[in-house]
Amino acid sequence: MTKYVKFQPWLDWLDQRYDKTLDRLKSWSAINSGTDNIDGLDRMRDAILDAFAELDATTSVIDLPDGEAVAADGSIAPVCYGKLLHFSKRPHAPVRVLLCIHYDTVFAVDSAFQTPRLIDENTLNGPGVADAKGGILTILNALSALERSPFAGGIGWDVILNPDEETGSIGSAPFLAERARTADFGMLYEPALEDGTLAGARKGSGNFSIRIKGRAAHAGREFHAGRSAMVAASDCVMRLDQLNGKVGQATFNIGKIDGGGPVNVVPDSAVVRFNVRVSNHDERHQAENEIADVIAAINQRDGITAELHGQFGRAPKPMAGRTRALFEWVRELGHDLDLDISWKATGGCCDGNNLAEAGLPNIDTLGVRGGLIHSDQEFVKLDSLIERAKLSALILMKAGSGDLPDALKKTEI
């Protein structure tokens, strides 16, 4: 280390955190915190609160409003979310940063994937080890180093840990947007790729359900009196699929069709579920118009009604302006840590999309290095536990020392 020698003592201090960090990661991975597992989320929340107590921050546990979802039978069902965690310190500091990541996972309470295990001395396999419990620990370690340094007074911070990211952050999105408007830049802790590559530009994403209603009838005696919701759903699916290649780089993925029943009954209910990814706002608006045309066409079928539910929950996140300036600055900071910071565009999305839409430049893959997330092969490279904490600690201390680039300082409007 040469250029950033004045930060060295607190970066070196992080080395002693490895064993405790690994123990916590194993323990946390064994807590099932799937988005729908409210009891598991409560246990995970308590573990986080205990760990974050060392930061001596103002702490809030926030109830999120219930959402709604289309059930398999086409009815509208309430959705209960876990609680959002908010930690805050020095809200009136000259520089403000927002650090975020989720504490839910994609693994259901009855998943067979529940227990972490060492694959080799540098690789831990387990639910959430990379996505994103390792990221939570990266935040904790980086802030612990900052708070021990003389640079803490120059930077105030908020941490948001949300329980619903894996299903789109519908409940927590308003709170994320509110906090984003108070910060100069954002740091999110989704995992980096195994080689340390970060996500750059991200596509926007929308999840949708189309409720289709027809008319039931006996398939033998009164077949022609029925109006099949399943046939209408099939028509709907084909129309949606034909939009691929028509709307720029947008993709329309049919995920599931619910409906039907006994084969001697003309089915009167079906639900088509699909996801749309878009590269820019123009594609989003065109996609919305095309979907509306599909709904209109299905409603032209005799005896059939179709109704759209869902939305674009995440806008596209371009690599431009203040976000690019943030990436370039972090790449420079990484050089003296012997880290080659690079990035590439991805079709995936996360809460970094939400923060970008609120106008906050952010890097959203500052977490541990890992891979094969959302599968029972998920892994984290253990040598990245402290490596990535040092990178974030350096970013925070550098900003707190007054050296935040002018391009990242928020201007009053």
Side-chain angles (χ1 to χ4, degrees), residues 131-150:
D131 186 27
K133 295 175 182 181
I136 300 172
L137 288 165
T138 303
I139 293 175
L140 175 60
N141 284 336
L143 288 175
S144 294
L146 169 71
E147 291 302 312
R148 284 165 171 77
S149 80

Side-chain angles (χ1 to χ4, degrees), residues 12 155 171 196 236 285 368 401:
D12 289 344
I155 184 169
C236 180
H285 296 316
V368 293
S401 72

Side-chain angles (χ1 to χ4, degrees), residues 235-412:
D235 182 16
C236 180
V237 165
M238 294 305 298
R239 291 175 182 271
L240 289 170
D241 184 62
Q242 288 165 5
L243 296 178
N244 286 300
K246 182 179 180 180
V247 185
Q249 300 178 53
T251 57
F252 298 76
N253 181 63
I254 313 303
K256 189 176 183 181
I257 303 175
D258 292 311
V263 294
N264 62 346
V265 176
V266 177
D268 66 349
S269 178
V271 180
V272 175
R273 305 179 192 275
F274 64 102
N275 171 266
V276 183
R277 303 282 169 135
V278 293
S279 298
N280 54 58
H281 291 284
D282 287 343
E283 285 184 5
R284 171 180 172 171
H285 296 316
Q286 187 179 350
E288 289 171 333
N289 291 335
E290 294 287 354
I291 293 168
D293 288 346
V294 169
I295 298 295
I298 301 304
N299 276 316
Q300 290 298 311
R301 296 178 68 96
D302 180 46
I304 296 292
T305 59
E307 183 179 87
L308 181 68
H309 286 256
Q311 60 189 344
F312 275 97
R314 292 189 165 119
K317 178 188 172 184
M319 175 57 75
R322 294 169 68 214
T323 291
R324 177 171 284 279
L326 176 59
F327 273 80
E328 296 290 354
W329 181 56
V330 170
R331 174 157 59 186
E332 177 186 336
L333 296 183
H335 284 164
D336 270 25
L337 294 177
D338 295 323
L339 298 177
D340 181 14
I341 305 297
S342 61
W343 54 85
K344 66 180 182 179
T346 175
C349 57
C350 70
D351 287 333
N353 295 68
N354 300 59
L355 301 189
E357 186 174 27
L360 185 67
N362 66 86
I363 295 181
D364 58 38
T365 39
L366 286 170
V368 293
R369 291 185 283 107
L372 299 179
I373 62 175
H374 293 195
S375 81
D376 62 5
Q377 302 300 305
E378 178 178 349
F379 69 89
V380 59
K381 304 308 289 186
L382 296 178
D383 60 353
S384 72
L385 294 179
I386 301 304
E387 169 194 287
R388 307 316 265 192
K390 287 184 177 181
L391 175 61
S392 285
L394 181 57
I395 295 168
L396 295 168
M397 288 190 289
K398 184 76 170 174
S401 72
D403 288 336
L404 186 71
D406 289 340
L408 294 178
K409 294 176 182 176
K410 185 166 59 177
T411 57
E412 298 296 331

Side-chain angles (χ1 to χ4, degrees), residues 69-81:
V70 178
D73 64 359
S75 63
I76 303 298
V79 176
C80 181
Y81 301 114

